[in-house]
PDB file of all heavy atoms in Angstrom:
ATOM      1  N   PHE A  34     -80.234  57.389  46.258  1.00 84.00           N
ATOM      2  CA  PHE A  34     -80.645  58.627  46.934  1.00 84.00           C
ATOM      3  C   PHE A  34     -81.718  59.340  46.120  1.00 84.00           C
ATOM      4  O   PHE A  34     -82.166  58.861  45.077  1.00 84.00           O
ATOM      5  CB  PHE A  34     -79.427  59.532  47.185  1.00 84.00           C
ATOM      6  CG  PHE A  34     -78.974  60.394  46.028  1.00 84.00           C
ATOM      7  CD1 PHE A  34     -78.671  61.724  46.226  1.00 84.00           C
ATOM      8  CD2 PHE A  34     -78.816  59.865  44.740  1.00 84.00           C
ATOM      9  CE1 PHE A  34     -78.230  62.538  45.181  1.00 84.00           C
ATOM     10  CE2 PHE A  34     -78.368  60.670  43.690  1.00 84.00           C
ATOM     11  CZ  PHE A  34     -78.080  62.009  43.906  1.00 84.00           C
ATOM     12  N   TRP A  35     -82.146  60.491  46.646  1.00 82.00           N
ATOM     13  CA  TRP A  35     -83.143  61.325  45.981  1.00 82.00           C
ATOM     14  C   TRP A  35     -82.469  62.083  44.848  1.00 82.00           C
ATOM     15  O   TRP A  35     -81.464  62.775  45.052  1.00 82.00           O
ATOM     16  CB  TRP A  35     -83.751  62.290  46.989  1.00 82.00           C
ATOM     17  CG  TRP A  35     -84.805  63.195  46.438  1.00 82.00           C
ATOM     18  CD1 TRP A  35     -85.967  62.824  45.829  1.00 82.00           C
ATOM     19  CD2 TRP A  35     -84.810  64.623  46.479  1.00 82.00           C
ATOM     20  NE1 TRP A  35     -86.697  63.942  45.477  1.00 82.00           N
ATOM     21  CE2 TRP A  35     -86.010  65.056  45.863  1.00 82.00           C
ATOM     22  CE3 TRP A  35     -83.935  65.583  46.974  1.00 82.00           C
ATOM     23  CZ2 TRP A  35     -86.339  66.400  45.735  1.00 82.00           C
ATOM     24  CZ3 TRP A  35     -84.255  66.919  46.851  1.00 82.00           C
ATOM     25  CH2 TRP A  35     -85.452  67.318  46.239  1.00 82.00           C
ATOM     26  N   LEU A  36     -83.018  62.014  43.658  1.00 79.00           N
ATOM     27  CA  LEU A  36     -82.380  62.588  42.485  1.00 79.00           C
ATOM     28  C   LEU A  36     -82.621  64.090  42.331  1.00 79.00           C
ATOM     29  O   LEU A  36     -82.140  64.703  41.384  1.00 79.00           O
ATOM     30  CB  LEU A  36     -82.849  61.867  41.222  1.00 79.00           C
ATOM     31  CG  LEU A  36     -82.367  60.417  41.076  1.00 79.00           C
ATOM     32  CD1 LEU A  36     -82.963  59.784  39.831  1.00 79.00           C
ATOM     33  CD2 LEU A  36     -80.850  60.350  41.031  1.00 79.00           C
ATOM     34  N   GLY A  37     -83.373  64.701  43.247  1.00 74.00           N
ATOM     35  CA  GLY A  37     -83.613  66.132  43.189  1.00 74.00           C
ATOM     36  C   GLY A  37     -84.994  66.501  42.678  1.00 74.00           C
ATOM     37  O   GLY A  37     -85.452  67.623  42.862  1.00 74.00           O
ATOM     38  N   GLN A  38     -85.647  65.561  42.038  1.00 81.00           N
ATOM     39  CA  GLN A  38     -87.014  65.755  41.537  1.00 81.00           C
ATOM     40  C   GLN A  38     -87.834  64.538  41.945  1.00 81.00           C
ATOM     41  O   GLN A  38     -87.346  63.411  41.855  1.00 81.00           O
ATOM     42  CB  GLN A  38     -87.006  65.891  40.013  1.00 81.00           C
ATOM     43  CG  GLN A  38     -88.401  66.001  39.398  1.00 81.00           C
ATOM     44  CD  GLN A  38     -88.333  66.297  37.911  1.00 81.00           C
ATOM     45  OE1 GLN A  38     -87.644  67.209  37.478  1.00 81.00           O
ATOM     46  NE2 GLN A  38     -89.046  65.501  37.119  1.00 81.00           N
ATOM     47  N   PRO A  39     -89.048  64.736  42.434  1.00 84.00           N
ATOM     48  CA  PRO A  39     -89.839  63.600  42.912  1.00 84.00           C
ATOM     49  C   PRO A  39     -90.055  62.546  41.827  1.00 84.00           C
ATOM     50  O   PRO A  39     -90.364  62.871  40.677  1.00 84.00           O
ATOM     51  CB  PRO A  39     -91.165  64.235  43.331  1.00 84.00           C
ATOM     52  CG  PRO A  39     -90.836  65.662  43.607  1.00 84.00           C
ATOM     53  CD  PRO A  39     -89.736  66.023  42.634  1.00 84.00           C
ATOM     54  N   ARG A  40     -89.867  61.309  42.201  1.00 88.00           N
ATOM     55  CA  ARG A  40     -90.247  60.212  41.314  1.00 88.00           C
ATOM     56  C   ARG A  40     -91.750  60.004  41.424  1.00 88.00           C
ATOM     57  O   ARG A  40     -92.346  60.227  42.479  1.00 88.00           O
ATOM     58  CB  ARG A  40     -89.508  58.939  41.694  1.00 88.00           C
ATOM     59  CG  ARG A  40     -87.988  59.012  41.502  1.00 88.00           C
ATOM     60  CD  ARG A  40     -87.366  57.712  41.984  1.00 88.00           C
ATOM     61  NE  ARG A  40     -85.942  57.626  41.748  1.00 88.00           N
ATOM     62  CZ  ARG A  40     -85.005  57.954  42.633  1.00 88.00           C
ATOM     63  NH1 ARG A  40     -85.361  58.431  43.820  1.00 88.00           N
ATOM     64  NH2 ARG A  40     -83.730  57.817  42.352  1.00 88.00           N
ATOM     65  N   THR A  41     -92.351  59.538  40.352  1.00 87.00           N
ATOM     66  CA  THR A  41     -93.813  59.425  40.332  1.00 87.00           C
ATOM     67  C   THR A  41     -94.297  57.988  40.265  1.00 87.00           C
ATOM     68  O   THR A  41     -95.507  57.759  40.276  1.00 87.00           O
ATOM     69  CB  THR A  41     -94.385  60.203  39.135  1.00 87.00           C
ATOM     70  OG1 THR A  41     -93.825  59.696  37.920  1.00 87.00           O
ATOM     71  CG2 THR A  41     -94.070  61.690  39.264  1.00 87.00           C
ATOM     72  N   SER A  42     -93.379  57.018  40.202  1.00 89.00           N
ATOM     73  CA  SER A  42     -93.799  55.618  40.167  1.00 89.00           C
ATOM     74  C   SER A  42     -92.635  54.725  40.567  1.00 89.00           C
ATOM     75  O   SER A  42     -91.462  55.120  40.414  1.00 89.00           O
ATOM     76  CB  SER A  42     -94.281  55.224  38.770  1.00 89.00           C
ATOM     77  OG  SER A  42     -93.183  55.057  37.894  1.00 89.00           O
ATOM     78  N   PRO A  43     -92.905  53.523  41.064  1.00 91.00           N
ATOM     79  CA  PRO A  43     -91.823  52.593  41.401  1.00 91.00           C
ATOM     80  C   PRO A  43     -90.931  52.265  40.210  1.00 91.00           C
ATOM     81  O   PRO A  43     -89.731  52.024  40.383  1.00 91.00           O
ATOM     82  CB  PRO A  43     -92.573  51.356  41.901  1.00 91.00           C
ATOM     83  CG  PRO A  43     -93.875  51.879  42.412  1.00 91.00           C
ATOM     84  CD  PRO A  43     -94.223  53.002  41.477  1.00 91.00           C
ATOM     85  N   ALA A  44     -91.482  52.275  38.998  1.00 92.00           N
ATOM     86  CA  ALA A  44     -90.686  51.910  37.827  1.00 92.00           C
ATOM     87  C   ALA A  44     -89.467  52.801  37.669  1.00 92.00           C
ATOM     88  O   ALA A  44     -88.406  52.354  37.211  1.00 92.00           O
ATOM     89  CB  ALA A  44     -91.551  51.958  36.572  1.00 92.00           C
ATOM     90  N   SER A  45     -89.580  54.080  38.044  1.00 90.00           N
ATOM     91  CA  SER A  45     -88.428  54.979  37.911  1.00 90.00           C
ATOM     92  C   SER A  45     -87.318  54.604  38.884  1.00 90.00           C
ATOM     93  O   SER A  45     -86.134  54.809  38.584  1.00 90.00           O
ATOM     94  CB  SER A  45     -88.858  56.430  38.092  1.00 90.00           C
ATOM     95  OG  SER A  45     -89.452  56.635  39.354  1.00 90.00           O
ATOM     96  N   PHE A  46     -87.680  54.061  40.045  1.00 92.00           N
ATOM     97  CA  PHE A  46     -86.668  53.545  40.965  1.00 92.00           C
ATOM     98  C   PHE A  46     -85.944  52.356  40.347  1.00 92.00           C
ATOM     99  O   PHE A  46     -84.724  52.242  40.464  1.00 92.00           O
ATOM    100  CB  PHE A  46     -87.326  53.085  42.277  1.00 92.00           C
ATOM    101  CG  PHE A  46     -87.654  54.181  43.234  1.00 92.00           C
ATOM    102  CD1 PHE A  46     -88.874  54.832  43.159  1.00 92.00           C
ATOM    103  CD2 PHE A  46     -86.767  54.553  44.225  1.00 92.00           C
ATOM    104  CE1 PHE A  46     -89.198  55.832  44.058  1.00 92.00           C
ATOM    105  CE2 PHE A  46     -87.080  55.548  45.126  1.00 92.00           C
ATOM    106  CZ  PHE A  46     -88.303  56.189  45.041  1.00 92.00           C
ATOM    107  N   PHE A  47     -86.695  51.482  39.729  1.00 94.00           N
ATOM    108  CA  PHE A  47     -86.084  50.263  39.205  1.00 94.00           C
ATOM    109  C   PHE A  47     -85.095  50.577  38.092  1.00 94.00           C
ATOM    110  O   PHE A  47     -84.018  49.967  38.008  1.00 94.00           O
ATOM    111  CB  PHE A  47     -87.162  49.293  38.730  1.00 94.00           C
ATOM    112  CG  PHE A  47     -88.174  48.953  39.796  1.00 94.00           C
ATOM    113  CD1 PHE A  47     -89.501  48.686  39.462  1.00 94.00           C
ATOM    114  CD2 PHE A  47     -87.821  48.920  41.142  1.00 94.00           C
ATOM    115  CE1 PHE A  47     -90.432  48.388  40.440  1.00 94.00           C
ATOM    116  CE2 PHE A  47     -88.747  48.620  42.130  1.00 94.00           C
ATOM    117  CZ  PHE A  47     -90.057  48.361  41.777  1.00 94.00           C
ATOM    118  N   ASP A  48     -85.420  51.532  37.229  1.00 93.00           N
ATOM    119  CA  ASP A  48     -84.471  51.958  36.203  1.00 93.00           C
ATOM    120  C   ASP A  48     -83.197  52.509  36.855  1.00 93.00           C
ATOM    121  O   ASP A  48     -82.076  52.244  36.391  1.00 93.00           O
ATOM    122  CB  ASP A  48     -85.092  53.027  35.306  1.00 93.00           C
ATOM    123  CG  ASP A  48     -86.185  52.476  34.406  1.00 93.00           C
ATOM    124  OD1 ASP A  48     -86.208  51.250  34.174  1.00 93.00           O
ATOM    125  OD2 ASP A  48     -87.021  53.277  33.935  1.00 93.00           O
ATOM    126  N   TYR A  49     -83.385  53.286  37.904  1.00 92.00           N
ATOM    127  CA  TYR A  49     -82.245  53.869  38.615  1.00 92.00           C
ATOM    128  C   TYR A  49     -81.400  52.778  39.275  1.00 92.00           C
ATOM    129  O   TYR A  49     -80.168  52.765  39.153  1.00 92.00           O
ATOM    130  CB  TYR A  49     -82.782  54.854  39.646  1.00 92.00           C
ATOM    131  CG  TYR A  49     -81.786  55.408  40.633  1.00 92.00           C
ATOM    132  CD1 TYR A  49     -80.606  56.025  40.204  1.00 92.00           C
ATOM    133  CD2 TYR A  49     -82.031  55.347  42.001  1.00 92.00           C
ATOM    134  CE1 TYR A  49     -79.709  56.556  41.116  1.00 92.00           C
ATOM    135  CE2 TYR A  49     -81.142  55.877  42.912  1.00 92.00           C
ATOM    136  CZ  TYR A  49     -79.985  56.479  42.469  1.00 92.00           C
ATOM    137  OH  TYR A  49     -79.099  57.009  43.378  1.00 92.00           O
ATOM    138  N   PHE A  50     -82.040  51.845  39.965  1.00 96.00           N
ATOM    139  CA  PHE A  50     -81.296  50.756  40.597  1.00 96.00           C
ATOM    140  C   PHE A  50     -80.515  49.956  39.557  1.00 96.00           C
ATOM    141  O   PHE A  50     -79.369  49.551  39.793  1.00 96.00           O
ATOM    142  CB  PHE A  50     -82.252  49.819  41.339  1.00 96.00           C
ATOM    143  CG  PHE A  50     -82.950  50.432  42.529  1.00 96.00           C
ATOM    144  CD1 PHE A  50     -84.091  49.827  43.053  1.00 96.00           C
ATOM    145  CD2 PHE A  50     -82.504  51.594  43.132  1.00 96.00           C
ATOM    146  CE1 PHE A  50     -84.755  50.364  44.141  1.00 96.00           C
ATOM    147  CE2 PHE A  50     -83.153  52.150  44.231  1.00 96.00           C
ATOM    148  CZ  PHE A  50     -84.293  51.524  44.740  1.00 96.00           C
ATOM    149  N   ASP A  51     -81.144  49.699  38.412  1.00 95.00           N
ATOM    150  CA  ASP A  51     -80.453  48.948  37.354  1.00 95.00           C
ATOM    151  C   ASP A  51     -79.209  49.689  36.884  1.00 95.00           C
ATOM    152  O   ASP A  51     -78.177  49.069  36.587  1.00 95.00           O
ATOM    153  CB  ASP A  51     -81.395  48.701  36.172  1.00 95.00           C
ATOM    154  CG  ASP A  51     -82.479  47.674  36.482  1.00 95.00           C
ATOM    155  OD1 ASP A  51     -82.306  46.898  37.440  1.00 95.00           O
ATOM    156  OD2 ASP A  51     -83.495  47.658  35.761  1.00 95.00           O
ATOM    157  N   ALA A  52     -79.284  51.021  36.813  1.00 94.00           N
ATOM    158  CA  ALA A  52     -78.117  51.809  36.413  1.00 94.00           C
ATOM    159  C   ALA A  52     -77.002  51.722  37.462  1.00 94.00           C
ATOM    160  O   ALA A  52     -75.818  51.647  37.116  1.00 94.00           O
ATOM    161  CB  ALA A  52     -78.516  53.264  36.187  1.00 94.00           C
ATOM    162  N   LEU A  53     -77.372  51.721  38.738  1.00 95.00           N
ATOM    163  CA  LEU A  53     -76.370  51.596  39.797  1.00 95.00           C
ATOM    164  C   LEU A  53     -75.667  50.248  39.758  1.00 95.00           C
ATOM    165  O   LEU A  53     -74.504  50.127  40.165  1.00 95.00           O
ATOM    166  CB  LEU A  53     -77.018  51.784  41.171  1.00 95.00           C
ATOM    167  CG  LEU A  53     -77.569  53.170  41.510  1.00 95.00           C
ATOM    168  CD1 LEU A  53     -78.134  53.177  42.926  1.00 95.00           C
ATOM    169  CD2 LEU A  53     -76.505  54.236  41.354  1.00 95.00           C
ATOM    170  N   LEU A  54     -76.359  49.244  39.279  1.00 96.00           N
ATOM    171  CA  LEU A  54     -75.799  47.894  39.241  1.00 96.00           C
ATOM    172  C   LEU A  54     -75.111  47.560  37.920  1.00 96.00           C
ATOM    173  O   LEU A  54     -74.343  46.596  37.848  1.00 96.00           O
ATOM    174  CB  LEU A  54     -76.909  46.870  39.507  1.00 96.00           C
ATOM    175  CG  LEU A  54     -77.379  46.808  40.953  1.00 96.00           C
ATOM    176  CD1 LEU A  54     -78.751  46.167  41.057  1.00 96.00           C
ATOM    177  CD2 LEU A  54     -76.359  46.035  41.790  1.00 96.00           C
ATOM    178  N   GLY A  55     -75.381  48.341  36.869  1.00 93.00           N
ATOM    179  CA  GLY A  55     -74.835  48.016  35.564  1.00 93.00           C
ATOM    180  C   GLY A  55     -73.999  49.115  34.960  1.00 93.00           C
ATOM    181  O   GLY A  55     -72.786  48.982  34.799  1.00 93.00           O
ATOM    182  N   TRP A  56     -74.635  50.227  34.638  1.00 94.00           N
ATOM    183  CA  TRP A  56     -73.954  51.293  33.930  1.00 94.00           C
ATOM    184  C   TRP A  56     -72.842  51.942  34.744  1.00 94.00           C
ATOM    185  O   TRP A  56     -71.720  52.129  34.247  1.00 94.00           O
ATOM    186  CB  TRP A  56     -74.969  52.346  33.482  1.00 94.00           C
ATOM    187  CG  TRP A  56     -74.369  53.562  32.856  1.00 94.00           C
ATOM    188  CD1 TRP A  56     -74.443  54.846  33.312  1.00 94.00           C
ATOM    189  CD2 TRP A  56     -73.593  53.633  31.651  1.00 94.00           C
ATOM    190  NE1 TRP A  56     -73.771  55.704  32.474  1.00 94.00           N
ATOM    191  CE2 TRP A  56     -73.240  54.984  31.440  1.00 94.00           C
ATOM    192  CE3 TRP A  56     -73.172  52.671  30.725  1.00 94.00           C
ATOM    193  CZ2 TRP A  56     -72.481  55.410  30.354  1.00 94.00           C
ATOM    194  CZ3 TRP A  56     -72.408  53.097  29.644  1.00 94.00           C
ATOM    195  CH2 TRP A  56     -72.080  54.442  29.464  1.00 94.00           C
ATOM    196  N   GLU A  57     -73.109  52.289  36.002  1.00 95.00           N
ATOM    197  CA  GLU A  57     -72.086  52.984  36.782  1.00 95.00           C
ATOM    198  C   GLU A  57     -70.859  52.121  37.076  1.00 95.00           C
ATOM    199  O   GLU A  57     -69.723  52.614  36.987  1.00 95.00           O
ATOM    200  CB  GLU A  57     -72.664  53.571  38.066  1.00 95.00           C
ATOM    201  CG  GLU A  57     -73.447  54.855  37.858  1.00 95.00           C
ATOM    202  CD  GLU A  57     -72.662  55.948  37.138  1.00 95.00           C
ATOM    203  OE1 GLU A  57     -71.433  56.071  37.361  1.00 95.00           O
ATOM    204  OE2 GLU A  57     -73.279  56.684  36.353  1.00 95.00           O
ATOM    205  N   PRO A  58     -70.997  50.831  37.421  1.00 95.00           N
ATOM    206  CA  PRO A  58     -69.782  50.013  37.577  1.00 95.00           C
ATOM    207  C   PRO A  58     -68.959  49.942  36.294  1.00 95.00           C
ATOM    208  O   PRO A  58     -67.727  49.975  36.335  1.00 95.00           O
ATOM    209  CB  PRO A  58     -70.336  48.636  37.964  1.00 95.00           C
ATOM    210  CG  PRO A  58     -71.625  48.929  38.626  1.00 95.00           C
ATOM    211  CD  PRO A  58     -72.201  50.113  37.887  1.00 95.00           C
ATOM    212  N   PHE A  59     -69.648  49.875  35.139  1.00 94.00           N
ATOM    213  CA  PHE A  59     -68.934  49.878  33.863  1.00 94.00           C
ATOM    214  C   PHE A  59     -68.200  51.200  33.659  1.00 94.00           C
ATOM    215  O   PHE A  59     -67.022  51.249  33.284  1.00 94.00           O
ATOM    216  CB  PHE A  59     -69.918  49.644  32.715  1.00 94.00           C
ATOM    217  CG  PHE A  59     -69.333  49.918  31.355  1.00 94.00           C
ATOM    218  CD1 PHE A  59     -68.491  49.002  30.759  1.00 94.00           C
ATOM    219  CD2 PHE A  59     -69.607  51.105  30.690  1.00 94.00           C
ATOM    220  CE1 PHE A  59     -67.924  49.256  29.512  1.00 94.00           C
ATOM    221  CE2 PHE A  59     -69.060  51.377  29.452  1.00 94.00           C
ATOM    222  CZ  PHE A  59     -68.213  50.446  28.852  1.00 94.00           C
TER     223      PHE A  59
END
Side-chain angles (χ1 to χ4, degrees):
F34 82 134
W35 181 58
L36 291 177
Q38 176 173 310
R40 295 177 175 94
T41 58
S42 75
S45 59
F46 280 88
F47 304 148
D48 290 339
Y49 171 54
F50 294 162
D51 288 341
L53 293 182
L54 287 160
W56 174 242
E57 282 305 324
F59 168 78

